[in-house]
């Protein structure tokens, strides 16, 4: 990006490679503080996380006065899209710089409804759309987003496919609609989601597929003050560690008409977190509060 480039939306030059990719407005001379989610559909990119977390690059696109929610089932994404604008090698005026050469004004971006930013609360990450916050255990990484929030232990080389990265443990929350779950009750949604959760976590090349599973829990629970339903499986893989996967569904604390899905997954290994940590995270989920952006420990 040079100072001769015309004003426009471009991939945020401050993007770190984790979480949803946003676009920043270039006013022709400097980067402004105006951000938006890309309006175009996101091309699917897969980086196998392999922990029971179908995590969420989720974007909003306004269509006919409504909201279309698009998801990517990778735990994280990298800015590898060939049709994205190239990041600037430098930041004229600094990231979030104010407008023209004298710093006193800013070229106005086209009309664009800016997404609500995730609330900032120490020790939690927040899914704004779902209205829930997940606790971030000590030493874990977390990511808040307009739609979707996740916490995880970090990556290691997958046992059956060394070209992919897996994680020992992780939890991800998103609206049921964003995950294309059509069930209308928490119980029906949780029972429908658990098989999808297990397959996408341990059923692919990363772990050599699932050879069998055992249901450990299927019961109503109260989470974040809402009456939800939880299903937990133990899965046996053909290669590498076995795992625990859990699908929890509850009504959004901010909208009784919206169901929220919380997918969890832990490897069964001495290097993985204990199953009790999954229970602690589940109990620690709460209604979101506050404004701004941030997380307990960002990735």
């Amino acid at each position: 990006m040079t100072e001769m480039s015309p004003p426009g939306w471009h991939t945020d030059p401050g993007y770190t490679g984790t979480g949803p990719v946003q676009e920043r407005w270039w006013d022709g001379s400097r980067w402004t503080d105006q951000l938006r989610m890309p309006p175009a559909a996101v091309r699917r990119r897969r980086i196998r996380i392999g922990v029971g977390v179908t995590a969420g690059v989720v974007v909003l696109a306004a269509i006919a006065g409504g909201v279309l929610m698009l998801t990517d089932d990778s735990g994280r994404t990298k800015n590898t899209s060939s049709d994205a604008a190239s990041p600037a090698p430098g930041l004229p005026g600094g990231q979030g710089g104010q407008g023209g050469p004298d710093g006193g004004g800013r070229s106005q971006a086209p009309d664009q409804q800016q997404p609500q930013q995730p609330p900032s609360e120490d020790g939690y990450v927040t899914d704004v759309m779902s209205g829930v916050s997940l606790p971030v255990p000590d030493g874990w990484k977390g990511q808040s987003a307009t739609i979707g929030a996740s916490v995880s232990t970090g990556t290691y080389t997958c046992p059956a496919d060394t070209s992919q990265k897996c994680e020992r443990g992780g939890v991800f929350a998103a609206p049921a609609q964003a995950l294309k779950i059509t069930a209308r009750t928490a119980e029906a949604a949780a029972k429908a989601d658990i098989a999808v959760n297990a397959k996408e976590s341990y059923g692919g090349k990363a772990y050599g597929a699932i050879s069998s599973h055992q249901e450990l829990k299927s019961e109503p629970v109260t989470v974040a003050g809402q009456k939800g339903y939880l299903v937990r499986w133990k899965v046996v893989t053909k290669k590498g560690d076995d795992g625990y996967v859990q699908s929890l569904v509850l009504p959004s604390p901010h909208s009784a008409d919206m169901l929220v899905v919380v997918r969890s997954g832990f490897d069964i290994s001495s290097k993985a977190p204990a199953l009790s940590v999954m229970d602690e995270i589940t109990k620690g989920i709460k209604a979101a509060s506050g404004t701004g952006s941030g997380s307990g420990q960002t990735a």
Side-chain angles (χ1 to χ4, degrees), residues 19-20 22 37 56 58 115-136 141-151 171-175 224 252-254 258 260-262 281 284-299:
Q22 295 190 29
M37 303 301 290
V58 189
Q116 181 180 355
Q117 293 299 307
S120 175
E121 185 172 1
D122 188 35
Y124 288 86
V125 294
T126 296
D127 172 6
V128 174
M129 182 65 73
S130 294
V132 298
S133 294
L134 308 178
V136 184
K141 297 179 180 181
Q143 182 68 53
S144 297
T146 304
I147 305 179
S150 63
V151 295
V171 180
F172 169 71
S252 167
H254 294 174
M258 176 188 293
V260 180
V261 178
V262 182
I281 294 174
I285 298 171
K286 66 177 186 176
S289 61
T291 59
S293 63
S295 64
Q297 179 182 346
T298 57

Side-chain angles (χ1 to χ4, degrees), residues 258-297:
M258 176 188 293
L259 290 179
V260 180
V261 178
V262 182
R263 289 178 174 174
S264 305
F266 287 20
D267 284 358
I268 301 175
S269 164
S270 60
K271 297 180 181 180
L275 183 58
S276 60
V277 177
M278 186 183 294
D279 292 326
E280 292 171 4
I281 294 174
T282 300
K283 292 178 182 178
I285 298 171
K286 66 177 186 176
S289 61
T291 59
S293 63
S295 64
Q297 179 182 346

Side-chain angles (χ1 to χ4, degrees), residues 58-143:
V58 189
V59 299
L60 296 178
I63 295 185
V67 175
L68 172 65
M69 288 179 283
L70 305 173
T71 66
D72 186 324
D73 61 353
S74 61
R76 292 194 181 90
T77 62
K78 295 182 179 179
N79 186 19
T80 58
S81 177
S82 59
D83 57 356
S86 300
L91 297 178
Q95 182 174 344
Q98 298 297 312
D102 62 357
R106 175 169 74 223
S107 175
Q108 294 298 311
D111 289 342
Q112 174 72 27
Q113 184 176 0
Q114 300 300 319
Q116 181 180 355
Q117 293 299 307
S120 175
E121 185 172 1
D122 188 35
Y124 288 86
V125 294
T126 296
D127 172 6
V128 174
M129 182 65 73
S130 294
V132 298
S133 294
L134 308 178
V136 184
D138 292 342
W140 287 43
K141 297 179 180 181
Q143 182 68 53

Side-chain angles (χ1 to χ4, degrees), residues 44-272:
R44 292 174 65 86
R45 312 176 189 109
R46 297 183 63 87
I47 300 177
R48 168 51 54 198
I49 295 302
V51 293
V53 186
T54 304
V57 179
V58 189
V59 299
L60 296 178
I63 295 185
V67 175
L68 172 65
M69 288 179 283
L70 305 173
T71 66
D72 186 324
D73 61 353
S74 61
R76 292 194 181 90
T77 62
K78 295 182 179 179
N79 186 19
T80 58
S81 177
S82 59
D83 57 356
S86 300
L91 297 178
Q95 182 174 344
Q98 298 297 312
D102 62 357
R106 175 169 74 223
S107 175
Q108 294 298 311
D111 289 342
Q112 174 72 27
Q113 184 176 0
Q114 300 300 319
Q116 181 180 355
Q117 293 299 307
S120 175
E121 185 172 1
D122 188 35
Y124 288 86
V125 294
T126 296
D127 172 6
V128 174
M129 182 65 73
S130 294
V132 298
S133 294
L134 308 178
V136 184
D138 292 342
W140 287 43
K141 297 179 180 181
Q143 182 68 53
S144 297
T146 304
I147 305 179
S150 63
V151 295
S152 65
T153 57
T155 63
Y156 70 101
T157 301
C158 295
D161 185 349
T162 57
S163 68
Q164 300 187 59
K165 293 296 184 180
C166 293
E167 293 187 346
R168 302 289 183 187
V171 180
F172 169 71
Q177 183 183 354
L179 299 177
K180 299 181 180 180
I181 297 172
T182 59
R184 303 302 296 271
T185 68
E187 180 176 353
K191 289 180 176 179
D193 185 67
I194 188 66
V196 178
N197 185 1
K199 181 178 179 180
E200 294 186 353
S201 300
Y202 291 98
K205 295 180 180 179
Y207 288 83
I210 296 173
S211 58
S212 65
H213 77 271
Q214 175 188 359
E215 184 175 278
L216 303 180
K217 287 187 177 182
S218 182
E219 60 189 22
V221 291
T222 299
V223 174
Q226 305 299 307
K227 294 182 179 180
Y229 201 89
L230 178 154
V231 181
R232 179 183 295 173
W233 284 3
K234 176 182 178 180
V235 297
V236 177
T237 66
K238 292 183 177 180
K239 186 172 182 178
D241 296 329
D242 299 331
Y244 296 112
V245 292
Q246 175 178 290
S247 292
L248 162 68
V249 180
L250 65 149
S252 167
H254 294 174
S255 175
D257 295 331
M258 176 188 293
L259 290 179
V260 180
V261 178
V262 182
R263 289 178 174 174
S264 305
F266 287 20
D267 284 358
I268 301 175
S269 164
S270 60
K271 297 180 181 180

Side-chain angles (χ1 to χ4, degrees), residues 1-11 24-32 85-86 88 92 107-110:
M1 191 67 60
T2 69
E3 293 193 6
M4 299 299 294
S5 299
W9 290 106
H10 300 277
T11 300
R24 187 176 292 275
W25 180 254
W26 170 261
D27 70 1
S29 61
R30 298 186 180 187
W31 294 105
T32 72
S86 300
S107 175
Q108 294 298 311

